[in-house]
Amino acid sequence: MPKPDPAIIAGRQALIHALQRLVSDEQLITDQSSLRVYETDGLSAYRQLPMLVVLPDSTQQVAEILKICSEMHTKVVPRGAGTSLSGGALPLEDGIVLGLGKFNKILDIDYDNRCVVVQSGVTNLAITDAVKQRGFYYAPDPSSQIACTIGGNVSENAGGVHCLKYGLTSNNILGLEIVLINGEILRLGGKHMDMEAYDLLGIITGSEGLLGVVTEVTVRILPDPETVRAMLLGFPSNETAAVCVGEIISQGIIPAGIEMMDKLAIEATEDFCQAGYPLDCESLLIVELDGPAAEVNQLIEQVSSIATECHATSIKVSQTEAERIRFWTGRKAAFPAIGRISPDYYCMDGTIPRKQLPHVLARMAEMSKIYGLRIANVFHAGDGNLHPLILYDANNPGELEQAEAFGTDILRLCVEVGGVLTGEHGVGIEKRDLMSEVFSEQDLQQQLRVKCAFDPDGYLNPGKVFPTLHRCAELGKLHVHHGKLAFPDIPRF
Amino acid sequence: MPENFTPVSVQQIEELLKWTLSENKTLTVKGRGGKTGFGHLMETDCTVSLEKLSGILNYDPAELVMQALPGTPLDEIEAALSANNQHLAFEPMRLGQLYNTHAESGSIGGTFMANLSGPRRFKAGAARDHILGIKAVNGRGQAYQSGGMVIKNVTGYDMSKLLTGSWGTLSIITEVIFKVLPAPQTSQSLCVLNQQPEAALALMTKLAQSPHDISGLAYLPGDLSKHYLHYDGIDDDTSLTMIRLEGSVLSVAERLKSVMRLIPHKWRTETMQQEASQQLWTSIRDVSVFTIFGNTPVIMKLSIPPAAATAITDFIKASAGVHWYMDAAGGWLWISMPEVLATTLIPGIRQKVAMHGGSAVLYSAIEKIKKTVGIFSPQPAALVALNKRIKESFDPGNILNPGRLGLV
């Protein structure tokens, strides 16, 4: 992390006084024991107490806090529910945490325009809960949807199990209110589809809290499909299951979701919550199909025959809604189930071209032997988005480091086969130092220049995403010699 | 000194941009020149055309991903996809007819730089929702890349989205990677005859709220529909509410029945013939329904909350010579108007749009009108300043399509 600035830490009391003029005592957390709550996020191997935590309850307050922080050269780490798996909300010793927990109101449910306007601290699932009685839902459904906030979803461009068909957060939001570090409040988009000028919605989504603080989000809601059914397909190996995924998509079928679980994950899950998964297979696919009843039935037949050709050992189709939900219970409980069979686990998030699935799964199994650490796979096979869980015990000296090294090797493998470091969890601090595996210095510099357009002094969430920080003034320079830019020849072509 | 450049490599583009910057020159950037009518008239020193950076680099249908050079004709892309029963789900419109650029399809690079889409927009998104990666050279002559060959990726900022819709003002793109999807097996359209705008909007809203996965909802008032009417016993000025269903044969047949049940019996409803409906959806997509009035020089596109559509059509209906139609379930209004009205009517429309929240982009007009009203609606100062800083972060010398969007 960037080296803490002692002068800023020394000025803590002055900052507290300045903030006390803006917010009530109840909104300002300064004592050690209460700060402890905020010392980490979903990447709990990393911990750091912040200087203080402030919990604004209006956009105006956010604007004033950011303005003060930038005037007092203080770094700001925005935080939703703190479920980031990449350390996106990890505090800084010389920075404050800006918690958005009080932004918990649903402001407008607008069925005619098929959208909902919410404050950024509203949870993902609360949106669907608010509209489900009218037969609507919000499509992106990350596993943490019960806890994670929509503002955090925007900052990480969260996905979930249905993004193959319904897209990521960036495809499902229409408008944002954001506050820049200088206190400017911007409203982008709205209840309409296309915004004017540059696609700022697009660049802010997935920017990991480095460009602005999201205070309000307008999301698109979709009508519930008429019929939804899920299939459990058992396979004799991970490779055969992976081939089947490719075959389904090759035949023009886009299921609502295709999830894959390997033997270790199946057994742990079945033991934990009895979802009815077949135990006589090495690999399991959960395929969900939605649409009109007749179409879904037809697709089930098609997928069944593809699975049979791909040597499936079992095919089970949900007959009732309760059964479909039970199929998913297992998948959604997979992480805690793994938590029961191992003291600790480390969840990775690389994405690869789908056709590389068999190769990468086989290579990961080899690596698992080399590192002597077990690995469980539960992931979004349709998107090629892997979530290998590396099982380790932090109480055994050196095992955490081994797990991290294993994880790094997996991500390098993803990049090697044409994939990327992260599909939906974000870079954060976790994958920051691997960015140069994917990007050249020049690629990163252009991203940093965009950062400078929003936050020229780098006060928002520094230390995340980018391996090296540059001063904006340096990045912005055009190298002039003798009063003139270097003079290249006239291009001749 | 050459005025027109047609680079064949990334390196040539880097050289060209370094030279342009150091010589204080400016560049007009185009793909294949199909959309040059958009934005302000530019007076630049040189033009760069990407037509020689053409070709599909990588296409594996099972991966649902295609990688292509920016100058590849859109027609070539769509033909390759079609041969594999796939398509660009965002249904990019063709601007060739609107800009009178020999009805050419334009390039895939231009398709993304213009963030094109079509009637399927409200269901399937726009070009921005399908871009996965980009390679480009910025206004400093430095090549960079973002994104990749995978569908799900949050590694670094989503630069590809920021570039999509930037009309060549931020960088010269040298490669695009985008998502492709299975094409529907069949398409079937219904039209409901003679609805007033309010009733049509209410029906479109009801259908868009239904689970029947409708992929086209448009409304053509009587003045625009007459070319497309082939039904007995109806007047020339009968309006058309269009409903499109796509998918497998079985699915479309099922959903068609469900949709019919949602349309009140008092409305006369006709199933459209394949060919006629295809032609009509293409005309709606490409804004060529206005061509029946001959020369329609001023055209704008509103993107609005659908429920606001009739408030805006009520506002403009009193003006003579103004025509409009709704697409994307009322989320879009295309408006054509005579030149004499433009400078007074457009600010009025924009004010009305601002009340509901929305955008109002001037797609076609003579430069004098564009200068007076702007390509985009007036924006708050903080947003104007941010757009300007973003432009500078890519193109500090303002050499790429300078002034085209009127943002700087």
Side-chain angles (χ1 to χ4, degrees), chain B residues 99-132:
Chain B
Y99 296 136
N100 201 15
T101 44
H102 319 293
E104 116 168 67
S105 74
S107 64
I108 190 68
T111 300
F112 283 97
M113 288 306 97
N115 188 25
L116 297 183
S117 56
R120 219 180 277 122
R121 172 71 174 96
F122 67 103
K123 168 180 149 38
R128 74 176 295 277
D129 295 292
H130 298 259
I131 186 97
L132 298 174

Side-chain angles (χ1 to χ4, degrees), chain B residues 246-265:
Chain B
E246 296 171 302
S248 72
V249 173
L250 176 75
S251 169
V252 167
E254 284 296 310
R255 286 183 286 144
L256 201 58
K257 282 186 240 161
S258 308
V259 166
M260 292 293 269
R261 281 195 289 272
L262 289 177
I263 303 171
H265 290 306

Side-chain angles (χ1 to χ4, degrees), chain A residues 375-449:
Chain A
I375 185 169
N377 278 295
V378 188
F379 65 96
H380 314 303
D383 309 308
N385 184 194
L386 301 172
H387 288 324
L389 302 174
I390 301 168
L391 279 53
Y392 71 99
D393 184 350
N395 287 329
N396 293 343
E399 228 173 89
L400 167 65
E401 291 72 20
Q402 278 291 95
E404 285 186 331
F406 187 1
T408 302
D409 275 356
I410 291 176
L411 293 181
R412 289 217 169 92
L413 170 63
C414 291
V415 173
E416 180 193 310
V417 301
V420 296
L421 298 175
T422 171
E424 56 183 358
H425 294 174
V427 176
I429 51 158
E430 189 203 17
K431 284 154 291 215
R432 181 192 64 192
D433 296 333
L434 291 172
M435 285 288 271
S436 47
E437 303 270 332
V438 185
F439 296 117
S440 71
E441 187 57 26
Q442 220 156 273
D443 299 337
L444 290 172
Q445 278 185 5
Q446 185 54 60
Q447 295 191 36
L448 283 164
R449 287 196 186 100

Side-chain angles (χ1 to χ4, degrees), chain B residues 186-263:
Chain B
T186 188
S187 167
Q188 178 74 63
S189 293
L190 288 176
C191 61
V192 182
L193 303 179
N194 215 13
Q195 289 188 305
Q196 290 302 304
E198 291 74 17
L201 183 63
L203 178 63
M204 291 195 292
T205 301
K206 186 156 97 176
L207 293 171
Q209 289 171 334
S210 82
H212 307 309
D213 207 18
I214 291 157
S215 68
L217 285 165
Y219 174 74
L220 296 189
D223 53 345
L224 292 176
S225 65
K226 54 183 144 227
H227 258 54
Y228 304 98
L229 288 172
H230 311 282
Y231 305 105
D232 296 336
I234 53 165
D235 298 333
D236 247 11
D237 58 351
T238 299
S239 73
L240 282 181
T241 312
M242 305 273 304
I243 304 160
R244 182 175 69 178
L245 290 160
E246 296 171 302
S248 72
V249 173
L250 176 75
S251 169
V252 167
E254 284 296 310
R255 286 183 286 144
L256 201 58
K257 282 186 240 161
S258 308
V259 166
M260 292 293 269
R261 281 195 289 272
L262 289 177
I263 303 171

Side-chain angles (χ1 to χ4, degrees), chain A residues 186-200:
Chain A
L186 300 177
R187 295 192 66 86
L188 311 171
K191 293 180 173 181
H192 55 290
M193 294 179 286
D194 304 292
M195 71 175 290
E196 287 172 300
Y198 297 133
D199 191 347
L200 301 178

Side-chain angles (χ1 to χ4, degrees), chain A residues 231-235 240 243-245 247-248 251 253 285 287 289 296-317:
Chain A
M231 306 174 74
L232 295 179
L233 311 174
F235 290 88
T240 45
V243 168
C244 184
V245 172
E247 278 303 305
I248 292 170
Q251 300 207 10
I253 302 169
L285 291 182
V287 180
L289 298 155
V296 170
N297 291 340
Q298 189 185 33
L299 290 174
I300 284 175
E301 269 175 44
Q302 274 177 272
V303 171
S304 297
S305 75
I306 295 168
T308 308
E309 278 166 36
C310 293
H311 313 291
T313 49
S314 63
I315 296 174
K316 199 155 148 187
V317 183

